Amino acid sequence: MPPRRAPAGILLLRKPALALALALSCCARRPEPLSAPVMNDKSVTFPLPSAHDEVPMGPAVLDGEALRALMIAADDLFPPGLHASSCRNRREAYTYRVIRQDDVLFVYIEANPAYCGESFPAMDSGAKYAISKDGRILRRVVDGLDDDDVIWRLKTPDGGRVTVITEPGVVPDATALDAPDSGILKVYEEPVEAPALDAGNGQERRDGGLLYD
Amino acid sequence: MKNFGPYTSYADALKAACPLILSKPHATVSHLQASDLHLARRTATEYCAWLYYTPEHTYEMSMLADQSSPDDLVTGLRSCVLPPFVNDPRYAPGSLKHIFALHNHPFGTRLSPSDLRFIEQMATLHDWEVMTRGGKVRLSIVAFFSKAQDPTNPTCDGFYQYVPATREMTMWTATQGQWRRAVHGTVTWLNERNYRIDAP
């Protein structure tokens, strides 16, 4: 029995399909980190931390918008399909935290050196994203690459204190908070206190590493 | 590190380390920021090293660490992994004093929260202050920057510095060989990811 042949018509269809597949494969671009579009909306500021942000570890419940925001940020920083041979370059070696404020989801990505059996984080090993609830990246700040807004505490002329957020590169002047070119993005009249986690004196800081007022 | 020093003053060592680190490939991308931000982000590379004090009362710089291997391009982060201890076989283990954790910021940005976390962690291993022939020198982290638009001549235009012992954040700028110091304030952590600068 002669070998079965496909009808000529199918062959005609297959050849262009194969050529197209080859063409696509040779031109397919490797996914690149930080390639997602960013609106760079400077009016969006990352929120000041509050005690409510610190949620004890327990069952994690995420709504769909929060999950999508996490996935957008993780895919942008660690594109799927790229194999990292080094442990610290894998997305599993980071912690992810999402905070919702109004219609914006803020995603914080930090190194988790313990995952790779290490004791210390690398320099410039974190990033944060502000993502709208419909999935657009409003702002992205990657450590060492992007200038971030700065949180300041200032003494006011009347002896009080005020917390402000400024644009990058601005050293604020407490006597000109309302000046149009002050570079101040937000003013918090009531001083924002650090969480009540006093680490005490400097000697104790040696052990904890973190500093608190 | 070969071809570096040794120096008898930390200021001279810092002034020598700055242009050396910034001259490494893609250590500064200021010239690309306006024309091709995508390329600038893709090529930007951080280098890091320890500046340390030896039993011979000199300042030396360790080998540079960087992240320029292909594997490092699988993430958008441009971290620099600096080993906590310098291994200099000329000196007995434990005899070296780690002074400055040096690195560059290719876009000239200020110190990041993870930079501060790193040096705070190093402050649990190393002395906060080292007594040298020239006086006390405090452990700190430094991020060099250049604003040069000519990539073949990356000038050292300054650096940000944070000192864990005093929590002081400063910016040093160099103009025509003159160095100027601006104290921005002291750092207070608001949580593990955010810090505030308390202005003087």
Side-chain angles (χ1 to χ4, degrees):
Chain A
M1 190 176 186
R4 194 175 170 190
R5 288 187 175 182
I10 293 178
L11 282 175
L12 283 173
L13 282 175
R14 277 184 179 167
K15 278 182 179 172
L18 182 63
L20 181 63
L22 284 172
L24 287 175
S25 66
C26 76
C27 301
R29 296 192 64 179
R30 194 170 180 258
E32 275 194 25
L34 310 182
S35 58
V38 179
M39 299 183 70
N40 202 22
D41 182 350
K42 295 288 178 67
S43 69
V44 176
T45 57
F46 288 84
L48 290 179
S50 80
H52 304 294
D53 299 341
E54 306 300 327
V55 181
M57 198 62 180
V61 178
L62 289 178
D63 63 25
E65 289 173 354
L67 176 62
R68 179 170 61 182
L70 282 172
M71 290 176 68
I72 287 170
D75 287 352
D76 185 54
L77 203 59
F78 309 101
L82 294 182
H83 175 70
S85 55
S86 165
C87 176
R88 64 183 162 74
N89 285 335
R90 297 178 191 151
R91 60 169 70 187
E92 295 86 359
Y94 291 80
T95 61
Y96 301 81
R97 184 180 301 258
V98 61
I99 296 168
R100 181 193 291 268
Q101 193 173 80
D102 300 325
D103 288 339
V104 181
L105 296 122
F106 297 93
V107 178
Y108 298 83
I109 302 176
E110 301 289 330
N112 178 18
Y115 178 83
C116 299
E118 296 169 355
S119 302
F120 308 106
M123 301 175 186
D124 294 314
S125 54
K128 58 186 181 182
Y129 289 76
I131 297 175
S132 68
K133 66 178 189 175
D134 60 0
R136 290 169 296 137
I137 300 177
L138 305 174
R139 283 197 71 179
R140 177 179 63 201
V141 177
V142 178
D143 284 357
L145 295 185
D146 297 294
D147 248 329
D148 194 5
D149 302 336
V150 186
I151 306 170
W152 300 83
R153 194 185 207 195
L154 310 174
K155 290 176 188 167
T156 54
D158 61 1
R161 289 184 185 274
V162 67
T163 297
V164 302
I165 298 178
T166 66
E167 295 173 354
V170 170
V171 178
D173 178 358
T175 63
L177 296 177
D178 298 326
D181 58 350
S182 66
I184 293 173
L185 300 169
K186 282 192 178 172
V187 177
Y188 298 86
E189 295 294 346
E190 291 296 320
V192 178
E193 296 296 340
L197 295 171
D198 268 51
N201 62 31
Q203 194 57 47
E204 283 178 307
R205 280 194 271 133
R206 269 179 182 274
D207 303 321
L210 290 175
L211 298 174
Y212 297 96
D213 249 353
Chain B
M1 182 185 206
K2 287 179 183 174
N3 304 321
F4 182 88
Y7 293 92
T8 53
S9 94
Y10 73 84
D12 288 343
L14 268 180
K15 283 188 272 187
C18 180
L20 191 153
I21 290 177
L22 290 169
S23 68
K24 295 297 172 188
H26 311 297
T28 177
V29 292
S30 297
H31 59 288
L32 289 173
Q33 265 183 283
S35 59
D36 194 339
L37 188 58
H38 179 70
L39 181 63
R41 286 177 163 281
R42 198 155 55 87
T43 56
T45 305
E46 287 198 10
Y47 302 85
C48 48
W50 279 106
L51 197 69
Y52 57 96
Y53 187 66
T54 73
E56 294 176 0
H57 307 289
T58 58
Y59 293 89
E60 301 254 11
M61 189 166 73
S62 69
M63 300 287 285
L64 289 175
D66 72 74
Q67 276 217 334
S68 53
S69 70
D71 186 54
D72 295 315
L73 299 178
V74 301
T75 90
L77 295 168
R78 291 292 175 267
S79 314
C80 200
V81 181
L82 184 61
F85 293 98
V86 174
N87 176 22
D88 187 333
R90 296 172 298 175
Y91 302 102
S95 66
L96 302 177
K97 301 298 183 186
H98 297 66
I99 307 263
F100 298 122
L102 308 175
H103 71 313
N104 63 296
H105 275 182
F107 287 86
T109 53
R110 64 170 53 239
L111 290 164
S112 68
S114 50
D115 286 340
L116 270 56
R117 282 176 63 198
F118 172 81
I119 199 65
E120 296 284 359
Q121 292 284 305
M122 293 301 102
T124 66
L125 301 175
H126 301 302
D127 292 336
W128 287 20
E129 288 184 337
V130 173
M131 183 54 76
T132 71
R133 271 192 177 166
K136 283 182 186 173
V137 184
R138 290 177 174 136
L139 176 75
S140 67
I141 188 168
V142 163
F144 296 124
F145 61 83
S146 175
K147 296 174 181 170
Q149 295 302 303
D150 177 5
T152 62
N153 183 27
T155 52
C156 169
D157 292 321
F159 60 87
Y160 291 98
Q161 182 179 31
Y162 172 66
V163 180
T166 58
R167 298 187 291 148
E168 197 172 66
M169 182 80 84
T170 55
M171 184 174 75
W172 292 80
T173 49
T175 309
Q176 295 175 337
Q178 295 294 312
W179 284 87
R180 187 163 171 268
R181 178 174 183 255
V183 177
H184 284 178
T186 55
V187 165
T188 296
W189 286 98
L190 300 175
N191 63 14
E192 289 190 27
R193 297 165 302 283
N194 294 277
Y195 66 83
R196 175 185 80 199
I197 298 176
D198 294 356

